[in-house]
Amino acid sequence: MCGIAGWADPEHPFDAAARTVAAMTRALAARGPDGEGLWSGPHCALGHRRLAVLDPEQGHQPMLVTDDGDGPLLVLSYNGEVFNHTELRAELELLGHKFRTATDTEVVLRAWREWGEDTPARLNGMFAFAVWEPARRRLTLVRDRLGVKPLSYARHGTGVLFGSEPKALFASGLLRPTPDPDGLRDLFASVRTPGGGLFRGVREVRPGHLLVLDRAGLRERPYWRLDARPHPDDTPTAVGRVRDLLADTTRRHLGADVPLGALLSGGLDSSALVALAQLGAPEPLRTFSVDFTGAFVPGALRATPDAPYVRDVVAHCGVDHRDLVLDPAALADPGHRRAVVAARDAPGTGDMDTSLYLLFRSVRDHVTVALSGESADEVFGGYPWFHRPLSVAADDYPWRYLTGHSGVYRALLRPDVAAALDVPGHRAAHYRQALAETPRLPGETGLARRMREVFHLHLTRWLPDLLDRKDRLSMAVGLEVRVPFCDHRLVEYAFNAPWAQHVHDGREKSLLRAAVADLLPGSVISRVKAPYPTTQDPGYHEGLRGLVSDLLASPGAPVWTYLDADALRDRLLRPGADPATRAGLDFALNLDLWLTSRP
């Protein structure tokens, strides 16, 4: 995993590009603590920060393909992992290609030399990369199918600036980090527009797309879409197929030349990966979890704590486990909040982000790579609202958690800002557009049609935000987090399994549960879905109240450009510490910090 940056202009040569791209690349230093590289030519400069995972002694980037001529044929700056690189390497060797490293980077480079723009469709992995072809003056930006790895860009004259994160673009000095009205609408509506962003003029390469810049202009096209296909398998066959796919992708995700571990919550998803990874392993897998001080209180969203189930998995699988226990002081620490907002280039979601950042920082003390169960709920229908008829039938996004705080955020807006942004109208239009993109089988109606829509909404409008959070907070501490459930083969198969198979045992995630039932303790198999934990310690809420009181005492704070101080004061004075109140207080603090400390 790494950070990439660059500037290309096929129309006009430039002199200062190397210095500019060097500054952009330095802004991504946390993503790549193991090395820095820069290549420049008359019309393009590419930068790279390296987190060495495969062949640490080789694989320096940007990487070039040359011939006997005066310059390179191809230049590549690459971020990510390709999990079928061994098979592709063998295929390319049969075609005459010679390799000098054991990296997947060189496989991608040689694949582009052989197959050009057909290369991304051959890759199984998580990646974002840039290829420059000097003879054609052509830049191609590529992003993986589900958007696991980020890639932002902005037009500048006839050229394009790009980077793994927006902060790299602003480090060029050629763009200002000005909030974008549509980006703010997304923020307050708790939606995420594919290709959009929070900053004016800054966009993302859409998942499953490539972006081409040459003398004919700039154009974007998909190389992959999630399609609706007939599903001929009965339930036992489907369960077996899910097991085979999950076992294969887990095995592929274990490849690394550096220490590797796994995140473990005691839920079905992470426990399944840990059990599969430990099968036949020569030594115990290192696993990590987060917990909080204070007594656990069951609630509507979380009926059980993680710790007992984590202990059951540790004993059952024989892994080498470590817990990180956080107290309110660590979660409310202003320095940690600043680090999280800076990592995300966005306000984020309060203590949930902070605890994840601190967990990743702790994990990085022991390993360089960690597996995560992220995306299993989107792939297999794990969230509670998948199973609530009223939520499913609503003419709106069905989720009401994590990014579902739009009502809370919107209630804090100044009346004039609320009228200008029209957040409800934006959310409704956003939903209609997302719905229109859903693929369907001919004649598909009723519940089958609606559940396909619900899965597609989660995979294209919900999951990208979680993946972005995971990438930003982990790479801020130089930790590579891999997500085996995002293997496109598994996603495609589960997406086309009928809803009856997803709930064949009367539970959530029936296909996944049946596929790994023989690997896990009974307590984990029977556990009800629990979301990522948040602290229940009242000390955190009290800390929030103090910080918000200080914010209210600062009439010149930039947050009052958007938020209504009286509305926030009203929320501050409410008794108790319900999740909506806490979400509003956290959001106000993070929004002010984001507006104050934009790069």
PDB file of all heavy atoms in Angstrom, residues 254 260-263 270 273-279 281-288 317-322 367 369 371:
ATOM      1  N   LEU A 254      -3.484 -13.382   2.344  1.00  0.00           N
ATOM      2  CA  LEU A 254      -2.442 -13.621   3.341  1.00  0.00           C
ATOM      3  C   LEU A 254      -1.037 -13.405   2.798  1.00  0.00           C
ATOM      4  O   LEU A 254      -0.070 -13.454   3.560  1.00  0.00           O
ATOM      5  CB  LEU A 254      -2.568 -15.054   3.875  1.00  0.00           C
ATOM      6  CG  LEU A 254      -3.834 -15.374   4.670  1.00  0.00           C
ATOM      7  CD1 LEU A 254      -3.872 -16.857   5.028  1.00  0.00           C
ATOM      8  CD2 LEU A 254      -3.920 -14.518   5.927  1.00  0.00           C
ATOM      9  N   LEU A 260       1.824  -9.843   9.353  1.00  0.00           N
ATOM     10  CA  LEU A 260       0.413  -9.736   9.001  1.00  0.00           C
ATOM     11  C   LEU A 260      -0.452 -10.228  10.152  1.00  0.00           C
ATOM     12  O   LEU A 260      -0.096 -11.191  10.834  1.00  0.00           O
ATOM     13  CB  LEU A 260       0.131 -10.550   7.737  1.00  0.00           C
ATOM     14  CG  LEU A 260      -1.304 -10.621   7.214  1.00  0.00           C
ATOM     15  CD1 LEU A 260      -1.310 -10.672   5.680  1.00  0.00           C
ATOM     16  CD2 LEU A 260      -2.041 -11.855   7.771  1.00  0.00           C
ATOM     17  N   GLY A 261      -1.610  -9.575  10.365  1.00  0.00           N
ATOM     18  CA  GLY A 261      -2.554  -9.992  11.397  1.00  0.00           C
ATOM     19  C   GLY A 261      -3.976  -9.783  10.929  1.00  0.00           C
ATOM     20  O   GLY A 261      -4.243  -9.666   9.729  1.00  0.00           O
ATOM     21  N   ALA A 262      -4.896  -9.729  11.881  1.00  0.00           N
ATOM     22  CA  ALA A 262      -6.308  -9.564  11.534  1.00  0.00           C
ATOM     23  C   ALA A 262      -7.034  -8.829  12.648  1.00  0.00           C
ATOM     24  O   ALA A 262      -6.708  -8.984  13.837  1.00  0.00           O
ATOM     25  CB  ALA A 262      -6.972 -10.921  11.286  1.00  0.00           C
ATOM     26  N   LEU A 263      -8.028  -8.043  12.269  1.00  0.00           N
ATOM     27  CA  LEU A 263      -8.928  -7.414  13.224  1.00  0.00           C
ATOM     28  C   LEU A 263      -9.981  -8.448  13.621  1.00  0.00           C
ATOM     29  O   LEU A 263     -10.492  -9.179  12.775  1.00  0.00           O
ATOM     30  CB  LEU A 263      -9.595  -6.185  12.606  1.00  0.00           C
ATOM     31  CG  LEU A 263      -8.649  -5.159  11.975  1.00  0.00           C
ATOM     32  CD1 LEU A 263      -9.446  -4.017  11.362  1.00  0.00           C
ATOM     33  CD2 LEU A 263      -7.641  -4.634  12.991  1.00  0.00           C
ATOM     34  N   SER A 270     -15.479 -11.083  10.864  1.00  0.00           N
ATOM     35  CA  SER A 270     -14.051 -11.121  11.195  1.00  0.00           C
ATOM     36  C   SER A 270     -13.651 -12.492  11.719  1.00  0.00           C
ATOM     37  O   SER A 270     -12.540 -12.978  11.450  1.00  0.00           O
ATOM     38  CB  SER A 270     -13.712 -10.032  12.216  1.00  0.00           C
ATOM     39  OG  SER A 270     -14.398 -10.240  13.438  1.00  0.00           O
ATOM     40  N   LEU A 273     -12.928 -14.915   8.840  1.00  0.00           N
ATOM     41  CA  LEU A 273     -11.628 -14.682   8.211  1.00  0.00           C
ATOM     42  C   LEU A 273     -10.494 -15.207   9.086  1.00  0.00           C
ATOM     43  O   LEU A 273      -9.534 -15.812   8.588  1.00  0.00           O
ATOM     44  CB  LEU A 273     -11.434 -13.190   7.942  1.00  0.00           C
ATOM     45  CG  LEU A 273     -12.376 -12.540   6.935  1.00  0.00           C
ATOM     46  CD1 LEU A 273     -12.039 -11.058   6.783  1.00  0.00           C
ATOM     47  CD2 LEU A 273     -12.307 -13.239   5.582  1.00  0.00           C
ATOM     48  N   VAL A 274     -10.591 -14.965  10.380  1.00  0.00           N
ATOM     49  CA  VAL A 274      -9.552 -15.428  11.296  1.00  0.00           C
ATOM     50  C   VAL A 274      -9.469 -16.956  11.268  1.00  0.00           C
ATOM     51  O   VAL A 274      -8.377 -17.537  11.206  1.00  0.00           O
ATOM     52  CB  VAL A 274      -9.831 -14.912  12.721  1.00  0.00           C
ATOM     53  CG1 VAL A 274      -8.975 -15.661  13.748  1.00  0.00           C
ATOM     54  CG2 VAL A 274      -9.563 -13.409  12.794  1.00  0.00           C
ATOM     55  N   ALA A 275     -10.621 -17.622  11.300  1.00  0.00           N
ATOM     56  CA  ALA A 275     -10.621 -19.079  11.289  1.00  0.00           C
ATOM     57  C   ALA A 275     -10.035 -19.626   9.999  1.00  0.00           C
ATOM     58  O   ALA A 275      -9.233 -20.577  10.018  1.00  0.00           O
ATOM     59  CB  ALA A 275     -12.051 -19.598  11.481  1.00  0.00           C
ATOM     60  N   LEU A 276     -10.405 -19.046   8.862  1.00  0.00           N
ATOM     61  CA  LEU A 276      -9.868 -19.498   7.577  1.00  0.00           C
ATOM     62  C   LEU A 276      -8.378 -19.214   7.471  1.00  0.00           C
ATOM     63  O   LEU A 276      -7.617 -20.026   6.938  1.00  0.00           O
ATOM     64  CB  LEU A 276     -10.623 -18.816   6.433  1.00  0.00           C
ATOM     65  CG  LEU A 276     -12.037 -19.349   6.166  1.00  0.00           C
ATOM     66  CD1 LEU A 276     -12.796 -18.388   5.253  1.00  0.00           C
ATOM     67  CD2 LEU A 276     -11.983 -20.738   5.540  1.00  0.00           C
ATOM     68  N   ALA A 277      -7.950 -18.069   7.969  1.00  0.00           N
ATOM     69  CA  ALA A 277      -6.528 -17.714   7.901  1.00  0.00           C
ATOM     70  C   ALA A 277      -5.681 -18.629   8.787  1.00  0.00           C
ATOM     71  O   ALA A 277      -4.523 -18.935   8.464  1.00  0.00           O
ATOM     72  CB  ALA A 277      -6.333 -16.254   8.312  1.00  0.00           C
ATOM     73  N   GLN A 278      -6.263 -19.076   9.897  1.00  0.00           N
ATOM     74  CA  GLN A 278      -5.503 -19.904  10.837  1.00  0.00           C
ATOM     75  C   GLN A 278      -5.411 -21.358  10.394  1.00  0.00           C
ATOM     76  O   GLN A 278      -4.508 -22.087  10.817  1.00  0.00           O
ATOM     77  CB  GLN A 278      -6.140 -19.821  12.216  1.00  0.00           C
ATOM     78  CG  GLN A 278      -5.336 -20.453  13.327  1.00  0.00           C
ATOM     79  CD  GLN A 278      -3.961 -19.795  13.499  1.00  0.00           C
ATOM     80  OE1 GLN A 278      -3.858 -18.616  13.776  1.00  0.00           O
ATOM     81  NE2 GLN A 278      -2.899 -20.573  13.309  1.00  0.00           N
ATOM     82  N   LEU A 279      -6.316 -21.792   9.509  1.00  0.00           N
ATOM     83  CA  LEU A 279      -6.315 -23.179   9.049  1.00  0.00           C
ATOM     84  C   LEU A 279      -4.967 -23.534   8.406  1.00  0.00           C
ATOM     85  O   LEU A 279      -4.554 -22.930   7.422  1.00  0.00           O
ATOM     86  CB  LEU A 279      -7.431 -23.404   8.023  1.00  0.00           C
ATOM     87  CG  LEU A 279      -8.847 -23.592   8.552  1.00  0.00           C
ATOM     88  CD1 LEU A 279      -9.812 -23.738   7.382  1.00  0.00           C
ATOM     89  CD2 LEU A 279      -8.937 -24.834   9.448  1.00  0.00           C
ATOM     90  N   ALA A 281      -2.075 -22.855   9.283  1.00  0.00           N
ATOM     91  CA  ALA A 281      -1.002 -21.883   9.441  1.00  0.00           C
ATOM     92  C   ALA A 281       0.107 -22.442  10.330  1.00  0.00           C
ATOM     93  O   ALA A 281      -0.174 -23.130  11.319  1.00  0.00           O
ATOM     94  CB  ALA A 281      -1.547 -20.584  10.028  1.00  0.00           C
ATOM     95  N   PRO A 282       1.368 -22.153  10.033  1.00  0.00           N
ATOM     96  CA  PRO A 282       2.468 -22.714  10.824  1.00  0.00           C
ATOM     97  C   PRO A 282       2.603 -22.094  12.205  1.00  0.00           C
ATOM     98  O   PRO A 282       3.260 -22.667  13.077  1.00  0.00           O
ATOM     99  CB  PRO A 282       3.695 -22.413   9.961  1.00  0.00           C
ATOM    100  CG  PRO A 282       3.306 -21.211   9.152  1.00  0.00           C
ATOM    101  CD  PRO A 282       1.844 -21.369   8.877  1.00  0.00           C
ATOM    102  N   GLU A 283       2.016 -20.923  12.427  1.00  0.00           N
ATOM    103  CA  GLU A 283       2.107 -20.266  13.726  1.00  0.00           C
ATOM    104  C   GLU A 283       0.826 -19.482  13.971  1.00  0.00           C
ATOM    105  O   GLU A 283       0.056 -19.209  13.029  1.00  0.00           O
ATOM    106  CB  GLU A 283       3.324 -19.334  13.782  1.00  0.00           C
ATOM    107  CG  GLU A 283       3.330 -18.261  12.711  1.00  0.00           C
ATOM    108  CD  GLU A 283       4.622 -17.472  12.694  1.00  0.00           C
ATOM    109  OE1 GLU A 283       5.680 -18.050  13.002  1.00  0.00           O
ATOM    110  OE2 GLU A 283       4.564 -16.274  12.351  1.00  0.00           O
ATOM    111  N   PRO A 284       0.536 -19.105  15.210  1.00  0.00           N
ATOM    112  CA  PRO A 284      -0.712 -18.402  15.506  1.00  0.00           C
ATOM    113  C   PRO A 284      -0.796 -17.049  14.778  1.00  0.00           C
ATOM    114  O   PRO A 284       0.179 -16.288  14.735  1.00  0.00           O
ATOM    115  CB  PRO A 284      -0.666 -18.210  17.023  1.00  0.00           C
ATOM    116  CG  PRO A 284       0.259 -19.270  17.520  1.00  0.00           C
ATOM    117  CD  PRO A 284       1.291 -19.434  16.445  1.00  0.00           C
ATOM    118  N   LEU A 285      -1.946 -16.791  14.220  1.00  0.00           N
ATOM    119  CA  LEU A 285      -2.221 -15.500  13.605  1.00  0.00           C
ATOM    120  C   LEU A 285      -2.336 -14.447  14.700  1.00  0.00           C
ATOM    121  O   LEU A 285      -2.948 -14.687  15.744  1.00  0.00           O
ATOM    122  CB  LEU A 285      -3.527 -15.581  12.820  1.00  0.00           C
ATOM    123  CG  LEU A 285      -4.008 -14.306  12.110  1.00  0.00           C
ATOM    124  CD1 LEU A 285      -3.126 -14.003  10.901  1.00  0.00           C
ATOM    125  CD2 LEU A 285      -5.467 -14.463  11.681  1.00  0.00           C
ATOM    126  N   ARG A 286      -1.792 -13.269  14.472  1.00  0.00           N
ATOM    127  CA  ARG A 286      -1.942 -12.166  15.422  1.00  0.00           C
ATOM    128  C   ARG A 286      -3.265 -11.446  15.174  1.00  0.00           C
ATOM    129  O   ARG A 286      -3.549 -11.047  14.046  1.00  0.00           O
ATOM    130  CB  ARG A 286      -0.765 -11.204  15.299  1.00  0.00           C
ATOM    131  CG  ARG A 286       0.497 -11.720  15.980  1.00  0.00           C
ATOM    132  CD  ARG A 286       1.689 -10.839  15.757  1.00  0.00           C
ATOM    133  NE  ARG A 286       2.347 -11.184  14.498  1.00  0.00           N
ATOM    134  CZ  ARG A 286       3.581 -10.789  14.172  1.00  0.00           C
ATOM    135  NH1 ARG A 286       4.280 -10.047  15.009  1.00  0.00           N
ATOM    136  NH2 ARG A 286       4.117 -11.145  13.022  1.00  0.00           N
ATOM    137  N   THR A 287      -4.067 -11.295  16.214  1.00  0.00           N
ATOM    138  CA  THR A 287      -5.373 -10.666  16.081  1.00  0.00           C
ATOM    139  C   THR A 287      -5.504  -9.517  17.079  1.00  0.00           C
ATOM    140  O   THR A 287      -4.827  -9.491  18.116  1.00  0.00           O
ATOM    141  CB  THR A 287      -6.517 -11.675  16.298  1.00  0.00           C
ATOM    142  OG1 THR A 287      -6.406 -12.243  17.607  1.00  0.00           O
ATOM    143  CG2 THR A 287      -6.463 -12.783  15.250  1.00  0.00           C
ATOM    144  N   PHE A 288      -6.449  -8.587  16.774  1.00  0.00           N
ATOM    145  CA  PHE A 288      -6.555  -7.349  17.544  1.00  0.00           C
ATOM    146  C   PHE A 288      -8.019  -6.921  17.640  1.00  0.00           C
ATOM    147  O   PHE A 288      -8.780  -7.060  16.679  1.00  0.00           O
ATOM    148  CB  PHE A 288      -5.754  -6.232  16.871  1.00  0.00           C
ATOM    149  CG  PHE A 288      -4.331  -6.599  16.578  1.00  0.00           C
ATOM    150  CD1 PHE A 288      -3.994  -7.227  15.372  1.00  0.00           C
ATOM    151  CD2 PHE A 288      -3.327  -6.352  17.494  1.00  0.00           C
ATOM    152  CE1 PHE A 288      -2.688  -7.585  15.095  1.00  0.00           C
ATOM    153  CE2 PHE A 288      -2.012  -6.718  17.226  1.00  0.00           C
ATOM    154  CZ  PHE A 288      -1.683  -7.333  16.023  1.00  0.00           C
ATOM    155  N   CYS A 317      -9.656 -20.970  17.960  1.00  0.00           N
ATOM    156  CA  CYS A 317      -8.738 -20.956  16.805  1.00  0.00           C
ATOM    157  C   CYS A 317      -7.272 -20.947  17.208  1.00  0.00           C
ATOM    158  O   CYS A 317      -6.406 -21.198  16.359  1.00  0.00           O
ATOM    159  CB  CYS A 317      -9.028 -19.743  15.923  1.00  0.00           C
ATOM    160  SG  CYS A 317     -10.670 -19.749  15.169  1.00  0.00           S
ATOM    161  N   GLY A 318      -6.982 -20.624  18.470  1.00  0.00           N
ATOM    162  CA  GLY A 318      -5.591 -20.635  18.913  1.00  0.00           C
ATOM    163  C   GLY A 318      -4.753 -19.501  18.369  1.00  0.00           C
ATOM    164  O   GLY A 318      -3.571 -19.699  18.045  1.00  0.00           O
ATOM    165  N   VAL A 319      -5.335 -18.304  18.263  1.00  0.00           N
ATOM    166  CA  VAL A 319      -4.600 -17.164  17.726  1.00  0.00           C
ATOM    167  C   VAL A 319      -3.886 -16.407  18.841  1.00  0.00           C
ATOM    168  O   VAL A 319      -4.131 -16.613  20.029  1.00  0.00           O
ATOM    169  CB  VAL A 319      -5.557 -16.218  16.961  1.00  0.00           C
ATOM    170  CG1 VAL A 319      -6.124 -16.925  15.740  1.00  0.00           C
ATOM    171  CG2 VAL A 319      -6.684 -15.707  17.856  1.00  0.00           C
ATOM    172  N   ASP A 320      -3.009 -15.527  18.451  1.00  0.00           N
ATOM    173  CA  ASP A 320      -2.230 -14.686  19.372  1.00  0.00           C
ATOM    174  C   ASP A 320      -2.933 -13.324  19.436  1.00  0.00           C
ATOM    175  O   ASP A 320      -2.804 -12.517  18.520  1.00  0.00           O
ATOM    176  CB  ASP A 320      -0.798 -14.557  18.845  1.00  0.00           C
ATOM    177  CG  ASP A 320       0.059 -13.638  19.696  1.00  0.00           C
ATOM    178  OD1 ASP A 320      -0.361 -13.268  20.805  1.00  0.00           O
ATOM    179  OD2 ASP A 320       1.147 -13.247  19.219  1.00  0.00           O
ATOM    180  N   HIS A 321      -3.661 -13.066  20.514  1.00  0.00           N
ATOM    181  CA  HIS A 321      -4.585 -11.924  20.535  1.00  0.00           C
ATOM    182  C   HIS A 321      -4.135 -10.801  21.472  1.00  0.00           C
ATOM    183  O   HIS A 321      -3.536 -11.054  22.531  1.00  0.00           O
ATOM    184  CB  HIS A 321      -5.979 -12.386  20.951  1.00  0.00           C
ATOM    185  CG  HIS A 321      -6.997 -11.289  20.858  1.00  0.00           C
ATOM    186  ND1 HIS A 321      -7.473 -10.826  19.655  1.00  0.00           N
ATOM    187  CD2 HIS A 321      -7.612 -10.547  21.824  1.00  0.00           C
ATOM    188  CE1 HIS A 321      -8.336  -9.849  19.878  1.00  0.00           C
ATOM    189  NE2 HIS A 321      -8.429  -9.664  21.181  1.00  0.00           N
ATOM    190  N   ARG A 322      -4.502  -9.559  21.073  1.00  0.00           N
ATOM    191  CA  ARG A 322      -4.273  -8.370  21.895  1.00  0.00           C
ATOM    192  C   ARG A 322      -5.524  -7.491  21.863  1.00  0.00           C
ATOM    193  O   ARG A 322      -6.124  -7.305  20.809  1.00  0.00           O
ATOM    194  CB  ARG A 322      -3.076  -7.566  21.382  1.00  0.00           C
ATOM    195  CG  ARG A 322      -1.743  -8.270  21.559  1.00  0.00           C
ATOM    196  CD  ARG A 322      -0.615  -7.528  20.867  1.00  0.00           C
ATOM    197  NE  ARG A 322       0.670  -8.171  21.103  1.00  0.00           N
ATOM    198  CZ  ARG A 322       1.113  -9.228  20.423  1.00  0.00           C
ATOM    199  NH1 ARG A 322       0.367  -9.758  19.462  1.00  0.00           N
ATOM    200  NH2 ARG A 322       2.285  -9.753  20.697  1.00  0.00           N
ATOM    201  N   VAL A 367       2.088  -5.261  13.436  1.00  0.00           N
ATOM    202  CA  VAL A 367       2.037  -5.787  12.076  1.00  0.00           C
ATOM    203  C   VAL A 367       1.959  -4.632  11.086  1.00  0.00           C
ATOM    204  O   VAL A 367       1.649  -3.493  11.443  1.00  0.00           O
ATOM    205  CB  VAL A 367       0.822  -6.733  11.869  1.00  0.00           C
ATOM    206  CG1 VAL A 367       0.897  -7.939  12.790  1.00  0.00           C
ATOM    207  CG2 VAL A 367      -0.494  -5.993  12.040  1.00  0.00           C
ATOM    208  N   VAL A 369       0.298  -5.339   7.955  1.00  0.00           N
ATOM    209  CA  VAL A 369      -0.900  -5.669   7.183  1.00  0.00           C
ATOM    210  C   VAL A 369      -1.913  -6.318   8.118  1.00  0.00           C
ATOM    211  O   VAL A 369      -1.551  -7.135   8.959  1.00  0.00           O
ATOM    212  CB  VAL A 369      -0.564  -6.643   6.030  1.00  0.00           C
ATOM    213  CG1 VAL A 369      -1.825  -7.019   5.262  1.00  0.00           C
ATOM    214  CG2 VAL A 369       0.472  -6.028   5.091  1.00  0.00           C
ATOM    215  N   LEU A 371      -6.069  -8.011   8.114  1.00  0.00           N
ATOM    216  CA  LEU A 371      -7.320  -8.365   7.443  1.00  0.00           C
ATOM    217  C   LEU A 371      -8.506  -7.783   8.216  1.00  0.00           C
ATOM    218  O   LEU A 371      -8.473  -7.694   9.445  1.00  0.00           O
ATOM    219  CB  LEU A 371      -7.497  -9.882   7.358  1.00  0.00           C
ATOM    220  CG  LEU A 371      -6.395 -10.710   6.706  1.00  0.00           C
ATOM    221  CD1 LEU A 371      -6.878 -12.159   6.556  1.00  0.00           C
ATOM    222  CD2 LEU A 371      -5.997 -10.132   5.363  1.00  0.00           C
TER     223      LEU A 371
END
